Amino acid sequence: MGEFTCFYCGSLKDASESSDEHIVPSCIGGSRNVTLTDRVCKKCNSFMGDNVGLPFCRDWFIESARMLAGVAHRGKRPTTFMGELIWDRPEKTGVFLLEGGAYIFVIDGRDGVRRLAVGLDHTKPEMMDLVRRVIRRKFPGLPIINDASLHSAYELELANAVIAEGASLRIKNQISVVAWHREIAKMALGLACLTLDATYVSSPGAALLREFLHENDSRKRERSLLRGQAGVGQEDSASPLTQLVRPGGDEHLLALISVGDKVAFSALLFGRYENTVEVDATGIFHHLLPGTAIKGVCWIVDPEAKTTNGPLPIEERIVRRPAPA
């Protein structure tokens, strides 16, 4: 490859600045082939990873949905951050849920020391092994206050307080709408650049998506002219794309669709939560999409198997409903 125009900044770059980018993030099952591109520069790849991909993949709702779907990330078993424990103590305590129902409590002590407490079924050796692996990977070196070793009076007090909470945990969690908006916009830009004519990379629609993605000031993003909506955690069985196409199970459906003469991107995540964003409003690119009655292409992503099928003409995926008797 010689010089290339970066999908994410629109600048002409030397081949030495190219990097491999997973347009569909691997944390939700994006595969390493179909939606992989090398038309992204290293600087943009790093920026998108830190400011777009990471907040999205660590969002509480995404981690929860990923765990329920059995999606490992980079070979690691899912660990879900459930939120902050609400209890009658001053210590800030984060609660993580592991497969099999084990909990890890991350406690910021009054003395400035961070400690762990673990809740699990000790009759299940495999669960204990999983907890140990997660602690080594995610919380290395932090002391566990409810194990068999000796602890200070303060640590024993904390351990007893956690045990007293039992199974009736009160947890405050938070879904990041911003993280969803930016990740959907990033997938829209990447897949549109990958699929449409090369002139789309320098089009007004691509520029609008880039402006939204690169802006870290939330107030400026809110003033963006980018059009779309995010169905964060809201299952809508009457959403337009769901009515037409049902991938099945926890599969994701990603689609570029012609709406009139405009092009929109729609992401139906985990088979339930639909998000849309406008890709082009000029009417220049819709004719590049296949189809007659409904023009568009789609990708089906199996998050557990980490396989991607596509791009397919979306008309081939239409749910055919029987004619009324």
Side-chain angles (χ1 to χ4, degrees):
M1 179 178 68
E3 292 182 326
F4 69 100
T5 301
C6 174
F7 285 179
Y8 291 163
C9 66
S11 301
L12 190 64
K13 301 285 186 176
D14 185 76
S16 62
E17 298 183 64
S18 170
S19 64
D20 288 340
E21 152 68 356
H22 295 87
I23 297 174
V24 180
S26 57
C27 72
I28 60 169
S31 63
R32 296 180 177 274
N33 46 18
V34 176
T35 58
L36 181 72
T37 182
D38 60 357
R39 295 307 200 261
V40 171
C41 70
K42 295 175 182 176
K43 183 177 180 180
C44 280
N45 207 344
S46 177
F47 177 89
M48 294 300 168
D50 293 341
N51 296 279
V52 180
L54 191 60
F56 174 76
C57 291
R58 288 186 176 174
D59 176 61
W60 167 81
F61 188 83
I62 285 295
E63 286 195 329
S64 300
R66 190 165 63 90
M67 173 176 281
L68 292 173
V71 185
H73 181 39
R74 295 179 179 174
K76 300 180 179 68
R77 310 273 299 264
T79 303
T80 300
F81 175 64
M82 299 300 295
E84 186 178 333
L85 181 65
I86 302 172
W87 62 345
D88 299 326
R89 293 190 63 90
E91 292 88 1
K92 181 179 178 181
T93 301
V95 183
F96 291 80
L97 175 64
L98 282 64
E99 285 183 317
Y103 286 91
I104 295 177
F105 301 87
V106 183
I107 306 169
D108 290 330
R110 296 195 304 265
D111 54 2
V113 177
R114 175 167 286 186
R115 300 169 173 88
L116 305 179
V118 176
L120 55 82
D121 185 346
H122 289 275
T123 65
K124 298 180 179 179
E126 70 280 2
M127 190 182 296
M128 296 179 68
D129 290 340
L130 173 61
V131 169
R132 291 191 188 101
R133 289 197 299 271
V134 170
I135 290 175
R136 284 197 300 268
R137 170 171 57 87
K138 205 172 184 71
F139 311 107
L142 296 188
I144 301 173
I145 60 175
N146 62 335
D147 61 7
S149 58
L150 295 175
H151 297 285
S152 67
Y154 175 55
E155 289 175 331
L156 291 174
E157 177 191 345
L158 280 176
N160 290 331
V162 170
I163 293 170
E165 291 293 314
S168 58
L169 299 175
R170 296 170 295 163
I171 298 174
K172 177 177 66 177
N173 52 43
Q174 185 174 354
I175 296 172
S176 174
V177 177
V178 170
W180 280 61
H181 281 161
R182 292 181 88 177
E183 183 58 49
I184 298 302
K186 189 203 74 143
M187 288 194 289
L189 176 60
L191 291 177
C193 288
L194 196 65
T195 306
L196 301 175
D197 187 275
T199 55
Y200 178 77
V201 181
S202 57
S203 71
L208 192 59
L209 285 162
R210 287 189 195 105
E211 180 184 353
F212 180 85
L213 283 170
H214 281 277
E215 183 54 70
N216 277 333
D217 188 321
S218 59
R219 292 169 297 179
K220 292 180 180 179
R221 278 200 310 272
E222 289 172 1
R223 294 195 293 267
S224 169
L225 297 177
L226 189 66
R227 299 176 62 190
Q229 62 184 10
V232 181
Q234 298 176 1
E235 184 172 343
D236 183 4
S237 60
S239 55
L241 189 57
T242 311
Q243 289 182 338
L244 293 173
V245 183
R246 291 191 178 92
D250 293 315
E251 290 180 330
H252 312 306
L253 173 69
L254 312 175
L256 290 169
I257 309 172
S258 176
V259 182
D261 61 351
K262 300 177 181 179
V263 178
F265 173 75
S266 188
L268 189 64
L269 298 185
F270 297 100
R272 290 178 293 276
Y273 309 107
E274 186 166 339
N275 305 261
T276 60
V277 66
E278 190 173 75
V279 167
D280 175 67
T282 65
I284 297 175
F285 299 97
H286 74 103
H287 70 281
L288 297 173
L289 297 173
T292 52
I294 299 179
K295 297 175 67 66
V297 294
C298 66
W299 297 259
I300 308 295
V301 181
D302 184 328
E304 184 175 5
K306 292 186 179 294
T307 57
T308 302
N309 188 17
L312 301 167
I314 202 165
E315 281 187 332
E316 295 181 4
R317 303 294 304 186
I318 299 284
V319 176
R320 303 298 178 184
R321 304 184 188 281

